[in-house]
Amino acid sequence: MTEYDVTDDVAAVVEDTDLPRRLKERVYETIEARDVTTEQADEIARGVESKYLDTRVDPLDPVGTVSAQSIGEPGTQMTMNTFHYAGVAEIDVTQGLPRLIELVDARKTPDTPMMTVYLEDEYATDREKAHEVVWNIEATRILALGDVSTNVADMNVQIDLNADTLEERMITPEEVAEIIEDSLGVSTIQQGTAIQFGPEQPSYRDLLQLVEELREIVFKGIEEVSRVVVRKEDTDESPEGEEEFVLYTEGSEFGDALAIEGVDSSRTTCNNIHEIYRNLGVEAARETIINETMDTLREQGLDDVNVRHLMLVSDIMTTRGTIESIGRHGISGNKDSVLARAAYEVTVNHLLDAAIHGEVDDLNGVIENVIVGKPIKLGTGDVDLRMGSISSPTSSD
């Protein structure tokens, strides 16, 4: 029995269709929202079923070729702009063709990694609470906390911390001094908001080295996140007529961000598919590839590409439980067929390796059959026709 508030007759009508579970749920939602009769429910269910059956792929259809064409043709119209403002002030994100190439190549790190961080409970509506999360995410380095100067005569480094900044970012001078001692291995002298330290032996080179290392220390936040932008938006999860704070980051470390108090881990995401895979698994990575490619095409005005073509690409990239690229280092380079591998890149190397190891090509795929001039085993090419005589039945039959 369905969990939706419908009658047994209506539920029986929907369950009697050949629709998959997700589409049945959509039909239930529609019927429940419209409060229809059993006859109207039957009409809706049959209409959805008819449309579903009409859009299913016929046996032996070359879905890979169709998907490649459906994505590749609009891809020729995409701009080569590397950066684009992603609707957020001062946050640059790679878009257009370079972003699409990043995704299908399964790059370990995007050119412009970013996270979209949603908040929960009071953190989503209280500005001060939201900024608590900001300072726990954004990397705080010494130049954000105060001024740094060197005294060559006394061979020491002088830090003058800003009291207002310390209060805003919720960090004390004692904590700053302790982090410096642990990170640089020096002894510090603290007086109020002033901190001094220097090399063990007088050395101008060592003094400058300490200053360089000091600038790289992260006193609070996530090292990979250089900046966070806060926006107040009307989201799908926020109550009607209300807005919530959403954080956009330059740089990403998805696992660390999810562990921060106040972060809504059910909605927070990032544009690095490998970080999604490491923290949430291959199914989440598959979903991210679909969403990211769809968003990239939509941003270019190419949102008429059917999502099922993108789903097929994402399925192929994640079917082995990990993320594989489409190119010669991934899917194309790992095909069973020697000729299919050789047709993509580094042709001579593939043929030489196959000859050395005595590989046999069974000619089961499209590419290898095209190369040798045989009909491909798709559509009518997969059917063998034979002529024969049909004997007439005898009297004894």
Side-chain angles (χ1 to χ4, degrees):
M1 178 61 187
T2 175
E3 63 181 0
Y4 293 95
D5 186 19
V6 296
T7 65
D8 291 343
D9 290 341
V10 169
V13 164
V14 179
E15 292 301 323
D16 190 41
T17 63
D18 290 331
L19 295 173
R21 176 181 54 82
R22 287 186 178 181
L23 276 180
K24 284 182 179 178
E25 290 180 356
R26 294 286 299 275
V27 173
Y28 279 129
E29 290 172 1
T30 303
I31 291 172
E32 187 179 36
R34 297 185 181 181
D35 191 23
V36 299
T37 64
T38 303
E39 291 74 17
Q40 291 171 325
D42 181 71
E43 187 177 345
I44 293 173
R46 299 303 169 193
V48 174
E49 182 184 33
S50 174
K51 200 161 188 178
Y52 166 71
L53 294 176
D54 287 344
T55 55
R56 286 200 304 184
V57 175
D58 292 327
L60 305 177
D61 266 7
V63 292
T65 304
V66 174
S67 291
Q69 180 182 7
S70 301
I71 298 171
E73 191 278 329
T76 63
Q77 304 171 39
M78 299 182 74
T79 65
M80 291 296 291
N81 292 339
T82 304
F83 297 104
H84 172 74
Y85 287 113
V88 184
E90 302 176 5
I91 292 285
D92 277 335
V93 180
T94 304
Q95 283 287 5
L97 193 57
R99 177 57 180 159
L100 193 61
I101 293 172
E102 268 185 6
L103 291 165
V104 298
D105 281 352
R107 300 270 175 86
K108 293 294 183 183
T109 305
D111 284 342
T112 54
M114 70 165 293
M115 295 186 293
T116 303
V117 181
Y118 291 90
L119 306 177
E120 58 185 2
D121 302 330
E122 70 271 18
Y123 292 94
T125 53
D126 188 308
R127 184 175 293 274
E128 290 187 6
K129 283 285 189 181
H131 273 87
E132 286 183 21
V133 180
V134 170
W135 304 133
N136 284 325
I137 294 177
E138 183 177 304
T140 298
R141 292 182 165 82
I142 194 63
L143 294 181
L145 298 175
D147 299 321
V148 179
S149 58
T150 56
N151 188 329
V152 179
D154 297 332
M155 277 294 157
N156 65 25
V157 180
Q158 172 83 27
I159 304 174
D160 295 311
L161 300 172
N162 186 305
D164 293 336
T165 304
L166 292 175
E167 183 180 357
E168 180 189 29
R169 303 204 177 203
M170 294 172 288
I171 187 169
T172 64
E174 290 77 18
E175 290 174 327
V176 173
E178 183 180 348
I179 293 172
I180 291 174
E181 290 180 357
D182 293 341
S183 301
L184 302 182
V186 298
S187 298
T188 62
I189 301 173
Q190 182 205 337
Q191 293 179 338
T193 58
I195 299 174
Q196 289 184 355
F197 63 92
E200 293 182 1
Q201 300 295 329
S203 168
Y204 183 64
R205 176 183 290 180
D206 290 347
L207 184 68
L208 294 181
Q209 183 68 29
L210 283 176
V211 173
E212 290 300 317
E213 293 177 3
L214 174 67
R215 289 176 177 172
E216 297 302 317
I217 297 174
V218 175
F219 293 90
K220 192 171 186 178
I222 301 172
E223 183 175 0
E224 289 78 9
V225 179
S226 58
R227 198 158 56 92
V228 178
V229 172
V230 184
R231 292 190 67 190
K232 199 168 189 181
E233 299 179 351
D234 184 11
T235 65
D236 294 337
E237 298 292 326
S238 56
E240 187 174 353
E242 296 184 17
E243 295 181 329
E244 63 175 322
F245 291 107
V246 182
L247 314 182
Y248 296 89
T249 71
E250 279 189 3
S252 71
E253 186 52 60
F254 191 60
D256 291 348
L258 294 182
I260 294 174
E261 183 180 356
V263 172
D264 187 348
S265 58
S266 66
R267 294 186 291 157
T268 297
T269 186
C270 76
N271 65 352
N272 187 331
I273 56 177
H274 290 279
E275 286 187 7
I276 297 286
Y277 168 69
R278 286 194 296 270
N279 291 279
L280 300 180
V282 70
E283 285 290 341
R286 171 189 174 274
E287 197 73 20
T288 302
I289 294 171
I290 296 170
N291 293 336
E292 288 288 324
T293 49
M294 196 72 220
D295 290 344
T296 301
L297 293 170
R298 187 180 295 116
E299 189 273 335
Q300 297 283 306
L302 303 173
D303 50 355
D304 55 342
V305 176
N306 196 301
V307 70
R308 281 175 290 185
H309 301 312
L310 307 178
M311 291 169 67
L312 180 62
V313 172
S314 183
D315 286 340
I316 292 295
M317 292 176 66
T318 57
T319 187
R320 298 185 185 180
T322 60
I323 302 175
E324 293 183 283
S325 66
I326 297 295
R328 73 170 184 268
H329 299 297
I331 306 299
S332 297
N334 293 325
K335 289 183 177 179
D336 293 332
S337 167
V338 178
L339 294 177
R341 296 199 303 268
Y344 191 71
E345 286 179 359
V346 291
T347 301
V348 175
N349 293 353
H350 283 304
L351 295 178
L352 282 175
D353 290 341
I356 291 169
H357 295 95
E359 289 189 51
V360 176
D361 197 323
D362 295 326
L363 304 179
N364 292 322
V366 174
I367 297 172
E368 51 267 38
N369 279 291
V370 170
I371 290 174
V372 300
K374 289 183 60 179
I376 63 173
K377 295 185 177 182
L378 287 174
T380 56
D382 196 62
V383 180
D384 291 329
L385 295 178
R386 295 183 181 180
M387 291 185 62
S389 60
I390 302 175
S391 57
S392 58
T394 62
S395 58
S396 61
D397 290 341

